[in-house]
């Protein structure tokens, strides 16, 4: 597969009429969206971004800058959406920011506009927080991952896997914590922002601030759960994706 960036996860095997392109969280990989792909419906061709340095791209160097991630992804993304009558973007946590920047670049460089940008579990791009998670010690970072969830504790107990995981997570936190976005940065498509009602890092007021970054419509909704609320809410989130994608087609 070389250094290809996109993985097909959809049961429709590329036959869906609407492409949903998903962007993982810090430390995450394409397969994390497998359950969501099963809940979107046969009309959706679900693709997920595989960042360098993990799983089948584990021999490639990690990328610790959001702009560089988008630079690498963009040619394949442009080629993918050129063949799509309709497409939407879905990002979780760090992936929401990567999806936002990728959507902006698509609009600027190819003229392609997503039907909807779904921003999950992440405050608005221009929100400034002085976070330094990437500077934590290995022990502190491991403890944080256990508290937040999303990483099997058994993997963190294995010394070899633990070191691999911490290296990837630290890299991704460096990327998101050094990212800066102007307050007037905009995307043309509607934005749907969602969050867990017990997520301390992305409260409802913080996801509502995504409304300042679209010239289209905006909708925000919370779901039960913490930072990885999407794992236990796949079906209602799948329904939300279908509803808002359909609304965008009619507008």
């Amino acid at each position: 597969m070389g250094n290809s960036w996109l993985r097909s996860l959809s049961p429709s095997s590329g036959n869906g009429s609407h492409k949903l392109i998903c962007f993982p969280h810090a430390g995450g990989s394409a397969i994390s969206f497998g359950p969501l792909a099963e809940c979107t419906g046969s009309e959706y061709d679900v693709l997920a971004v595989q960042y360098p340095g993990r799983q089948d791209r584990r021999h490639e160097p990690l990328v610790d800058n959001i702009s560089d991630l988008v630079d690498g992804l963009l040619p394949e993304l442009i080629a993918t959406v050129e063949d799509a009558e309709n497409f939407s973007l879905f990002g979780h946590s760090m992936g929401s920011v990567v999806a936002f920047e990728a959507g902006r670049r698509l609009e600027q460089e190819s003229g392609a506009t997503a039907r909807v940008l779904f921003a999950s579990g992440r405050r608005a791009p221009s929100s400034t927080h002085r976070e330094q998670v990437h500077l934590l010690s290995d022990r502190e970072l491991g403890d944080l991952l256990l508290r937040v969830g999303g990483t099997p504790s058994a993997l963190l107990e294995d010394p070899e896997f633990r070191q691999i995981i911490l290296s990837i997570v630290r890299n991704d936190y460096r990327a998101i914590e050094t990212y800066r976005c102007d307050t007037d940065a905009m995307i043309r498509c509607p934005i749907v922002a969602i969050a867990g009602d017990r997520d301390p890092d992305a409260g409802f007021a913080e996801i509502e601030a995504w409304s300042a970054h679209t010239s289209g419509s905006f909708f925000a909704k919370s779901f039960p759960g913490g930072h990885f609320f999407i794992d236990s809410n796949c079906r209602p989130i799948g329904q939300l994706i279908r509803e808002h994608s359909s609304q965008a087609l009619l507008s």
Side-chain angles (χ1 to χ4, degrees):
M1 192 166 289
N3 61 351
S4 172
W5 286 77
L6 297 173
R7 304 287 177 271
S8 177
L9 302 178
S10 179
S12 68
S13 300
N15 296 320
S17 60
H18 191 118
K19 289 189 183 296
L20 180 69
I21 302 168
C22 301
F23 298 73
H25 59 278
S29 59
I31 197 61
S32 64
F33 289 106
L36 184 61
E38 295 179 359
C39 295
T40 51
S42 59
E43 68 272 29
Y44 288 84
D45 180 17
V46 181
L47 304 170
V49 175
Q50 188 78 296
Y51 303 137
R54 60 212 76 197
Q55 293 195 336
D56 56 345
R57 301 188 70 184
R58 62 188 178 278
H59 298 302
E60 297 176 49
L62 295 165
V63 178
D64 65 358
N65 181 282
I66 299 297
S67 179
D68 290 345
L69 273 177
V70 176
D71 284 345
L73 165 66
L74 197 64
E76 189 172 339
L77 188 59
I78 289 175
T80 298
V81 303
E82 277 179 345
D83 296 330
E85 182 179 350
N86 303 298
F87 73 95
S88 293
L89 308 175
F90 186 106
H92 181 66
S93 194
M94 179 186 85
S96 295
V97 169
V98 183
F100 174 70
E101 291 295 343
R104 292 178 66 205
R105 293 281 298 279
L106 279 173
E107 291 179 353
Q108 293 165 5
E109 299 186 24
S110 75
T113 300
R115 291 295 179 182
V116 186
L117 168 63
F118 296 93
S120 168
R122 180 69 193 178
R123 50 188 180 270
S126 58
S127 175
T128 56
H129 282 239
R130 292 183 177 274
E131 295 176 321
Q132 294 187 318
V133 172
H134 70 283
L135 297 179
L136 295 177
S137 69
D138 283 356
R139 184 171 187 173
E140 291 170 329
L141 185 56
D143 290 344
L144 175 65
L145 293 182
L146 289 174
R147 291 197 303 272
V148 172
T151 305
S153 58
L155 292 181
L156 289 172
E157 292 169 1
D158 180 285
E160 183 177 354
F161 280 114
R162 178 184 175 86
Q163 196 55 47
I164 293 171
I165 292 168
L166 293 182
S167 173
I168 293 171
V169 170
R170 188 183 305 283
N171 172 88
D172 291 356
Y173 268 104
R174 183 181 297 110
I176 194 62
E177 290 175 352
T178 57
Y179 166 80
R180 297 293 180 267
C181 177
D182 293 334
T183 56
D184 59 354
M186 303 280 282
I187 195 168
R188 292 196 294 267
C189 70
I191 293 179
V192 173
I194 59 177
D197 60 7
R198 297 192 303 277
D199 186 349
D201 295 326
F204 195 76
E206 292 176 303
I207 68 166
E208 282 189 311
W210 276 93
S211 63
H213 293 284
T214 176
S215 58
S217 63
F218 176 77
F219 178 81
K221 181 178 176 64
S222 62
F223 289 86
H227 189 60
F228 288 98
F229 68 97
I230 62 173
D231 293 343
S232 56
N233 291 279
C234 279
R235 293 193 181 279
I237 292 173
Q239 179 63 29
L240 177 138
I241 290 169
R242 291 192 297 273
E243 288 176 356
H244 284 272
S245 298
S246 297
Q247 289 174 14
L249 284 172
L250 297 174
S251 63

